Amino acid sequence: MTIIDAIVQGIVQGLTEFLPVSSSGHLNITQHILGVTEDNLFFNVMLHLIKAFFLMIADIFRGRFKWKEMDEDRRMLIMLVIGLLPLFLLFLPVPGTGMKLKDYVESFNTDRYFIIVGICLLLTSLLLLIGDMFSRGYLAQKRHHQNPEGRKSMTVGDAIVIGLVQCCATLPGLSRSGSTLAAGQMRGVNKQKALDYTFILAIPSILAAAVLELKDALDAPGGFQADIVPIIIGMVVAAVVGYFSIVLFKWLLKTDKMIVFILYTAIVGAAVIVISIMEMNSGVNLFTGAPIV
């Protein structure tokens, strides 16, 4: 991978990691166009709930911890742990394949299954549309005592549902942030609270994915032999661009402009499906000319 490839992929990763448009899907598209085969780049983000964690542990040992009297930081921390538990389902074996679920899903991340990226992007668009309709009250207006602003506290049920949805978002093109945000909105959670939870839930998931990919790279024949300079450059670019993408996402959500992401993922998904069908008929990558295997 060249430095230019690293910068391009770093921009794509940083711009789409927290936007509800699927970073894995966009990296798949970018690598498909460039003919690059390296794994996705990940950048580290620090979690800012450590103080709440230690204070909660202290209260538990002192016998002062009460579930109903938790502040929002502690509640968010516990909901985070609950929301991450469904990720262990990804390590279950898939019968007849000899692979774990996460490895089986990752096997679709090739040029041969490029059409799946398009289908999942369309599904992302649909989920964002449904979530947006729930947040506006269009689909929730028949509920009794409906709060137009949505609940501002997460429940155990919310955390479990959002965690299960995040497991499904391992498919390339199905946005993790988009699907979990939509799930929270469908559960009646305030859109800003759902967004905050989505961002926090993504951090350990991204770090875990990075650790697993590094382990796979080290275990591969010949070990990890990639040039470290492009990787570092790509991570720095991703981190910088990622910060501004978060600011952009929060502004668009606050100003009720989710339609931008809904239309964008639908258009890109449809375009990928058309390109994929053309490539399946021709048997080669339309951008690089390489055979589809």
Side-chain angles (χ1 to χ4, degrees):
M1 177 171 59
T2 67
I3 290 179
I4 296 299
D5 290 335
I7 292 175
V8 171
Q9 293 187 71
I11 292 174
V12 173
Q13 178 72 32
L15 187 60
T16 61
E17 183 62 63
F18 291 106
L19 294 182
V21 296
S22 177
S23 61
S24 63
H26 278 72
L27 274 175
N28 191 294
I29 294 171
T30 303
Q31 293 172 349
H32 185 83
I33 293 174
L34 297 177
V36 177
T37 58
E38 280 83 355
D39 292 333
N40 294 352
L41 296 173
F42 289 88
F43 58 92
N44 296 337
V45 182
M46 297 302 292
L47 187 60
H48 297 291
L49 292 177
I50 297 176
K51 179 180 178 180
F53 171 76
F54 284 110
L55 288 176
M56 182 176 65
I57 293 298
D59 280 352
I60 290 175
F61 278 105
R62 294 172 184 169
R64 298 177 182 175
F65 176 78
K66 294 182 180 180
W67 181 275
K68 293 183 179 180
E69 297 179 5
M70 287 188 296
D71 61 24
E72 282 304 307
D73 284 342
R74 295 186 183 187
R75 175 176 291 277
M76 183 67 78
L77 185 64
I78 290 180
M79 294 305 112
L80 169 64
V81 173
I82 295 173
L84 289 172
L85 291 178
L87 288 178
F88 287 100
L89 296 174
L90 295 176
F91 295 92
L92 294 177
V94 179
T97 66
M99 294 187 290
K100 297 175 183 177
L101 182 58
K102 79 174 188 67
D103 299 321
Y104 182 72
V105 172
E106 288 175 359
S107 67
F108 293 103
N109 195 22
T110 64
D111 284 352
R112 182 180 179 184
Y113 298 106
F114 191 48
I115 192 172
I116 291 180
V117 176
I119 294 173
C120 287
L121 282 169
L122 288 180
L123 181 56
T124 294
S125 177
L126 178 61
L127 287 172
L128 290 173
L129 176 61
I130 295 174
D132 189 55
M133 293 175 71
F134 264 96
S135 70
R136 294 173 183 272
Y138 298 150
L139 297 180
Q141 58 186 351
K142 293 184 180 180
R143 292 180 180 177
H144 296 294
H145 309 296
Q146 173 66 24
N147 179 4
E149 295 298 324
R151 287 185 288 105
K152 295 185 179 181
S153 294
M154 299 285 298
T155 66
V156 173
D158 297 333
I160 292 175
V161 170
I162 294 174
L164 288 172
V165 169
Q166 182 175 225
C167 290
C168 299
T170 53
L171 284 167
L174 186 57
S175 169
R176 179 194 289 109
S177 59
S179 56
T180 53
L181 173 63
Q185 291 175 315
M186 286 183 230
R187 291 282 301 176
V189 179
N190 173 278
K191 62 182 179 181
Q192 187 58 56
K193 179 61 67 175
L195 178 63
D196 293 341
Y197 184 73
T198 292
F199 283 163
I200 294 173
L201 187 66
I203 293 170
S205 303
I206 293 169
L207 293 177
V211 170
L212 290 174
E213 288 198 6
L214 178 59
K215 180 181 180 298
D216 292 341
L218 293 173
D219 292 341
F224 186 69
Q225 299 177 344
D227 188 349
I228 193 66
V229 174
I231 293 178
I232 293 176
I233 292 175
M235 290 178 65
V236 171
V237 171
V240 173
V241 176
Y243 170 79
F244 290 104
S245 73
I246 291 175
V247 175
L248 173 64
F249 188 14
K250 286 192 171 185
W251 177 76
L252 288 172
L253 189 68
K254 185 177 181 179
T255 54
D256 285 328
K257 290 183 172 61
M258 285 297 291
I259 188 66
V260 172
F261 299 117
I262 295 170
L263 292 176
Y264 174 79
T265 49
I267 292 171
V268 175
V272 168
I273 290 175
V274 171
I275 292 172
S276 181
I277 292 174
M278 295 172 64
E279 290 182 341
M280 285 189 289
N281 289 332
S282 65
V284 297
N285 184 312
L286 294 183
F287 302 97
T288 66
I292 302 294
V293 295

